[in-house]
């Protein structure tokens, strides 16, 4: 197996993700949770809702903000030049998705009662 063409692993049999991939995994994890916080802030604070709506619709503003956060954090974390095990990356992705989704679900479930 020629590992020189693989950019996501260090060598054959290694499950280490390179610094860039690791950085963007961390960026996703943080952004997934921040996204939930933004939803809560937008729902509870009219000024945040209105600020995000300045681009046309609040969901468009929300989406732009989340994308900017993701790419900004991805660049920052990637610049730290730290590798990550593939299993750690999967854990980050799963847990941050569950936490972010859980925050939003819990918020709206509480709102029902």
């Amino acid at each position: 197996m020629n590992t020189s063409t693989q950019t996501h692993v260090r060598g054959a049999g290694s499950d280490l993700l390179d610094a860039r991939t690791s950085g963007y995994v961390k960026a996703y994890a943080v952004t997934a949770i921040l996204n939930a916080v933004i939803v809560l802030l937008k729902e509870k604070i009219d000024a945040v809702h209105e600020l995000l709506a300045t681009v046309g619709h609040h969901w468009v503003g929300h989406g732009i903000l989340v994308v900017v956060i993701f790419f900004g954090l991805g660049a920052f974390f990637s610049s730290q030049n730290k590798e990550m095990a593939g299993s750690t990356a999967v854990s980050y992705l799963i847990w941050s998705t569950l936490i972010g989704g859980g925050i939003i679900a819990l918020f709206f479930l509480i709102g029902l009662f």
Side-chain angles (χ1 to χ4, degrees):
M1 177 179 202
N2 181 1
T3 59
S4 64
T5 60
Q6 294 178 337
T7 60
H8 64 288
V9 295
R10 185 168 36 181
S14 171
D15 72 342
L16 284 179
L17 304 176
D18 66 13
R20 186 172 185 178
T21 303
S22 298
Y24 280 92
V25 166
K26 291 174 190 175
Y28 170 80
V30 173
T31 304
I33 295 169
L34 284 176
N35 177 60
V37 171
I38 294 167
V39 169
L40 271 57
L41 291 173
K42 187 171 62 172
E43 291 293 322
K44 287 293 188 182
I45 303 170
D46 288 336
V48 174
H49 189 275
E50 291 168 9
L51 179 65
L52 292 173
T54 59
V55 295
H57 193 276
H58 64 94
W59 281 115
V60 174
H62 184 138
I64 291 169
L65 180 59
V66 168
V67 168
V68 168
I69 290 170
F70 172 73
F71 283 109
L73 287 174
F76 171 74
F77 289 136
S78 294
S79 71
Q80 294 179 336
N81 292 320
K82 293 186 180 181
E83 297 174 330
M84 176 187 292
S87 59
T88 301
V90 170
S91 292
Y92 274 41
L93 297 173
I94 290 171
W95 281 108
S96 60
T97 301
L98 290 174
I99 291 168
I103 290 169
I104 294 169
L106 187 61
F107 173 76
F108 284 110
L109 281 174
I110 290 171
L112 289 176
F113 299 106

